Amino acid sequence: MKKEFEEEYVEVNGIAHFLLHYPKAPDAPVLLYLHGGPGSMESLFAYELDKAWGDMFTQVHWDQRGAGKTLLRNKKLGMPETIEQMLDDLHGIIAYLQRKYQIEKLVLLGHSWGSVLGILYALRHPENVLSYIGTGQVISMMENERTAFQEVWKMAEKAGNRKHLLALGNLGDYPPDDPELLLKKLPKLRKIQAAYDNGPGSGSDQGELLKLLRRSPSFRWNDLIGLIRVMKVNHPLHLQLLSFALTDYPSHYQMPVHYILGEADTIAPTSLGKAYFDTIDAPRKTITVIPGAGHNPMYERPDEFAAALRAVRETL
């Protein structure tokens, strides 16, 4: 049986980076998917996206430094240190894809933490970006956490879930100003948020997650090691990310900008994404809010997400 995907390791900035390609027709735009985290690779779920998105794009999934198969291949070599380092890695990956596919520009799709990398890269290197797509778009980490806490509290109240309300109350004044304390409290909030979210890595059903992983054609059992080490390895990036605010940067973009957001996203609240989107100056901009979807709309509502993506594809 002929493989519908290609796996390879590419040397960039002194380490080997894992790339997973789902190639389509030669005239299909290349879309580089930037996963969340930092450290939460999504290449093992790419087969689900390929099934939903069809022939719209040649998809490329990159396990970033400190994530997935890239982490496993390099072991202690090349651990994540700074956001600038990650942007340098991204620049090298894009340069490689430009050579491989003989293209000048590609589409960047950033999810969650990947939306930080993607939007910063788009601002810095517009000459390489055909279009930017943000989903689970991060606007300001501290505002995200503050708003997310308030919104998940309302969800717990509406659901009448006393256990969640008690756990939220135990977090105290959230988010705390101390970054290390916030990183200790954050997983407790994420665990509650997962109950109101669906999609790979949400944490609400580890058994179902393992089933999704095992169905992946690129899954190997040692991939689980990378998942276990994510938080420790990416700690420096998590600390730096807490001070990120997109509002610190100009909102003028030299390429089309498209947001595809989940209406019920409590991790990167859609209310913040919509407010920032209104300030964007770009050649073209569109926003799609998918009802009932949370932080992972591409998995939770695959048909609706694919339709929004198809509308973007038609503008290229």
Side-chain angles (χ1 to χ4, degrees), residues 22-40:
Y22 279 86
K24 304 302 176 185
D27 61 344
V30 175
L31 181 150
L32 176 58
Y33 188 107
L34 302 176
H35 66 68
S40 302

Side-chain angles (χ1 to χ4, degrees), residues 12-215:
V12 171
N13 292 338
I15 67 168
H17 296 256
F18 175 77
L19 295 179
L20 174 65
H21 306 257
Y22 279 86
K24 304 302 176 185
D27 61 344
V30 175
L31 181 150
L32 176 58
Y33 188 107
L34 302 176
H35 66 68
S40 302
M41 57 76 200
E42 290 184 50
S43 57
L44 293 177
F45 306 107
Y47 70 100
E48 290 281 345
L49 302 182
D50 184 63
K51 182 170 59 178
W53 299 356
D55 293 337
M56 281 189 281
F57 298 95
T58 284
Q59 284 185 58
V60 182
H61 292 259
W62 164 43
D63 285 6
Q64 299 162 21
R65 182 186 293 260
K69 295 181 189 295
T70 298
L71 173 61
L72 293 175
R73 171 60 69 96
N74 295 284
K75 297 184 172 59
K76 293 183 179 180
L77 176 68
M79 292 293 98
E81 296 174 358
T82 66
I83 292 176
E84 281 297 316
Q85 178 192 47
M86 303 298 280
L87 285 166
D88 286 344
D89 285 351
L90 175 55
H91 192 52
I93 293 295
I94 288 176
Y96 170 76
L97 294 175
Q98 288 171 319
R99 295 191 299 270
K100 180 181 179 72
Y101 290 105
Q102 295 296 295
I103 55 173
E104 292 184 8
K105 299 183 178 184
L106 48 67
V107 176
L108 279 182
L109 190 157
H111 176 223
S112 197
W113 145 254
S115 74
V116 174
L117 272 186
I119 206 78
L120 290 179
Y121 188 86
L123 285 168
R124 185 175 297 186
H125 292 288
E127 71 279 4
N128 295 330
V129 182
L130 183 62
S131 193
Y132 172 76
I133 304 169
T135 185
Q137 180 67 51
V138 176
I139 305 302
S140 163
M141 278 303 299
M142 294 303 286
E143 279 304 310
N144 275 15
E145 292 306 307
R146 189 172 292 110
T147 304
F149 181 85
Q150 295 167 354
E151 292 187 357
V152 80
W153 185 287
K154 291 177 183 177
M155 289 180 177
E157 281 188 324
K158 184 177 180 180
N161 194 314
R162 294 183 180 181
K163 181 180 177 181
H164 285 167
L165 290 171
L166 179 61
L168 289 168
N170 288 338
L171 290 177
D173 188 11
Y174 189 91
D177 293 331
D178 181 350
E180 290 287 2
L181 180 58
L182 175 52
L183 287 183
K184 288 179 181 178
K185 289 190 174 186
L186 192 145
K188 297 177 182 179
L189 178 62
R190 292 289 185 266
K191 186 175 180 179
I192 299 170
Q193 288 171 317
Y196 304 93
D197 191 27
N198 300 290
S202 66
S204 55
D205 188 340
Q206 296 299 325
E208 184 60 30
L209 175 62
L210 185 56
K211 288 180 183 177
L212 285 170
L213 287 171
R214 292 187 64 185
R215 285 200 291 265

Side-chain angles (χ1 to χ4, degrees), residues 287-302:
I287 184 169
T288 302
V289 179
I290 300 177
H295 193 56
N296 298 279
M298 67 289 289
Y299 303 105
E300 299 170 58
R301 299 289 188 273

